[in-house]
Amino acid sequence: MASLPAVPPDPAAARLAGTLPPWNPDLDDTLIVRAIREETPDVKTFVLAPEKPCTFAYAPGQFLTLDLDIDGESVNRCYTIASTPTRPHTISITVKRVPGGPVSNFLHDRILVGSILRAVGPMGEFSCFIEGRPSPAPSYLFLSGGSGITPLMSMARTFHDLAEPRDIVFVHAARAPVDIIFRDELELMARNQPGNFRFAPICEADSPREPWHGLRGRLNLGLLNHIAPDFREREVFVCGPAPFMAAVRDMLKGAGFDMSRHHEESFDFATLAENAPEVAAEVVSAEALAAVQEAVAPPVTTYTVEFVRQKRSIDCRSDMFVLDAARRAGVRLPSSCSKGLCGTCKSKLVSGTVDMKHGGGIRQREIDAGMALLCCSKPTSNLVVDR
């Protein structure tokens, strides 16, 4: 009797079978695009999964850094994870097309289902979850603008999946109804959690085929009092464009809100870096800081840093980060967080050595291959950099 042909294993079943190992980008940073979803006319979600079955673990609100090859150039960009760790077999990012933006247009126009991306992470501290557990706040106010909805969506999805009895008001500002990202899902979550989850979109204008009959205009104190009159008692998480977050910050301060319960995230990591010295100044006096620096500072040496592609050489003191010295000398280099987190300034050291203290934006094997993050690297010799 002829034997039946062997049935190939179901890849979906393989991902559900047994206990899968956690995804480790240091060992395998390859992610395959499993699905692409159009959220709005200029926003797409990319669903990613490892080639070998494993699971993702992260705190809702954290981000990934994509390592992309665009026309022969290595480009790093940070994108917040929009998915929830309660569904650990895939991870997703949601990307808004930016006019003239090289990375967002590359993803929208050239990445297809089956494409391979490389990533490092997850990283970041913007989360209402502490060590994987919800913080003790009994109620939350999520305020998002545009594509800043993604980290808050990750948090909301997580609470929803865990059936956590948390009082959440989710306010999202959009240009028009057609631009409300995740609208159907957020409305479904509100129906699934009556009394615990409220979704309040605000639009500035109508869509061509959909007049808007909901809350209209820009978020202001009057609208906020209407939506969540108890907002002063809530833990507030904010994400969106820099002007949106600045306006929210001023509004809450003016309303007497306790800003220790205000948390914000921005896709503009450079803005956060610029604000870092101000935060430090509140913690320690300039005199005390100077005294500590004088006591521990080693002798300062000036080194030469040569940027091969730009055909520029600059001087960089041994107590200064290479990126800072380059900026002062007028050398333009890609950068974002300036904290060693995102990997945007990752560069190949053709020769020379540095003292680098990074925040996770570079893999050990890249360091072993001579790569460095210029934002957090101080020279310990003359350098030649492939930039």
Side-chain angles (χ1 to χ4, degrees), residues 57-81:
Y58 54 93
Q62 290 190 304
F63 63 88
L64 284 178
T65 299
L66 297 186
D67 187 354
L68 304 169
D69 185 347
I70 303 179
D71 299 327
E73 289 286 330
S74 179
V75 181
N76 295 88
R77 283 293 185 277
C78 303
Y79 287 102
T80 303
I81 301 165

Side-chain angles (χ1 to χ4, degrees), residues 2-333:
S3 60
L4 295 175
V7 178
D10 185 340
R15 295 179 184 277
L16 297 176
T19 301
L20 298 177
W23 179 61
N24 185 346
D26 288 330
L27 300 178
D28 183 9
D29 60 0
T30 300
L31 298 177
I32 299 174
V33 179
R34 296 291 185 187
I36 300 175
R37 300 168 184 154
E38 186 172 301
E39 306 291 353
T40 73
D42 60 356
V43 175
K44 288 184 177 181
T45 289
F46 299 85
V47 181
L48 313 173
E51 186 173 12
K52 297 180 180 178
C54 58
T55 57
F56 295 98
Y58 54 93
Q62 290 190 304
F63 63 88
L64 284 178
T65 299
L66 297 186
D67 187 354
L68 304 169
D69 185 347
I70 303 179
D71 299 327
E73 289 286 330
S74 179
V75 181
N76 295 88
R77 283 293 185 277
C78 303
Y79 287 102
T80 303
I81 301 165
S83 50
T84 165
T86 56
R87 307 174 203 179
H89 296 88
T90 61
I91 200 166
S92 67
I93 59 171
T94 299
V95 181
K96 178 181 175 64
R97 184 193 292 273
V98 178
V103 178
S104 65
N105 284 277
F106 171 81
L107 293 171
H108 273 248
D109 297 335
R110 294 162 64 178
I111 295 301
L112 306 172
V113 173
S115 294
I116 293 176
L117 301 177
R118 299 189 181 279
V120 64
M123 294 175 283
E125 299 177 355
F126 181 68
S127 178
C128 63
F129 285 69
I130 301 172
E131 296 181 352
R133 298 180 180 180
S135 67
S139 61
Y140 294 92
L141 174 62
F142 292 168
L143 302 174
S144 64
S147 57
I149 195 172
T150 52
L152 303 178
M153 190 65 183
S154 181
M155 299 181 205
R157 283 170 164 163
T158 302
F159 279 124
H160 178 265
D161 282 3
L162 294 176
E164 279 285 336
R166 299 300 170 94
D167 180 358
I168 300 172
V169 176
F170 198 132
V171 181
H172 179 64
R175 292 170 299 182
V178 71
D179 299 309
I180 302 174
I181 306 171
F182 307 128
R183 178 180 179 180
D184 290 345
E185 185 178 355
L186 284 164
E187 290 175 347
L188 175 62
M189 290 166 65
R191 291 196 297 271
N192 287 343
Q193 305 170 89
N196 281 337
F197 187 91
R198 286 177 284 159
F199 175 51
I202 304 172
C203 293
E204 295 184 40
D206 298 329
S207 294
R209 298 181 182 179
E210 182 183 1
W212 181 245
H213 302 295
L215 299 172
R216 181 180 288 269
R218 296 190 175 186
L219 181 61
N220 55 51
L221 188 57
L223 279 174
L224 186 58
N225 273 312
H226 172 73
I227 298 166
D230 62 344
F231 73 89
R232 293 175 183 81
E233 302 167 15
R234 295 175 177 269
E235 200 83 5
V236 176
F237 286 80
V238 188
C239 189
F244 172 83
M245 297 206 309
V248 169
R249 199 181 310 120
D250 291 342
M251 176 182 66
L252 293 177
K253 287 180 180 178
F257 183 78
D258 177 4
M259 296 303 285
S260 67
R261 291 187 287 111
H262 166 269
H263 316 274
E264 66 178 30
E265 177 71 300
S266 172
F267 295 155
D268 184 2
F269 290 90
T271 300
L272 298 180
E274 289 170 1
N275 291 336
E278 298 176 10
V279 176
E282 296 175 1
V283 178
V284 60
S285 69
E287 292 81 0
L289 183 60
V292 172
Q293 291 175 336
E294 184 176 353
V296 300
V300 174
T301 305
T302 299
Y303 296 107
T304 299
V305 181
E306 178 186 352
F307 297 99
V308 177
R309 298 189 204 176
Q310 301 199 37
K311 299 180 180 179
R312 288 284 308 275
S313 291
I314 66 169
D315 291 333
C316 181
R317 291 160 49 104
S318 58
D319 61 350
M320 179 177 289
F321 295 123
V322 175
L323 179 63
D324 292 338
R327 285 174 170 170
R328 292 189 182 187
V331 177
R332 298 186 63 181
L333 297 173

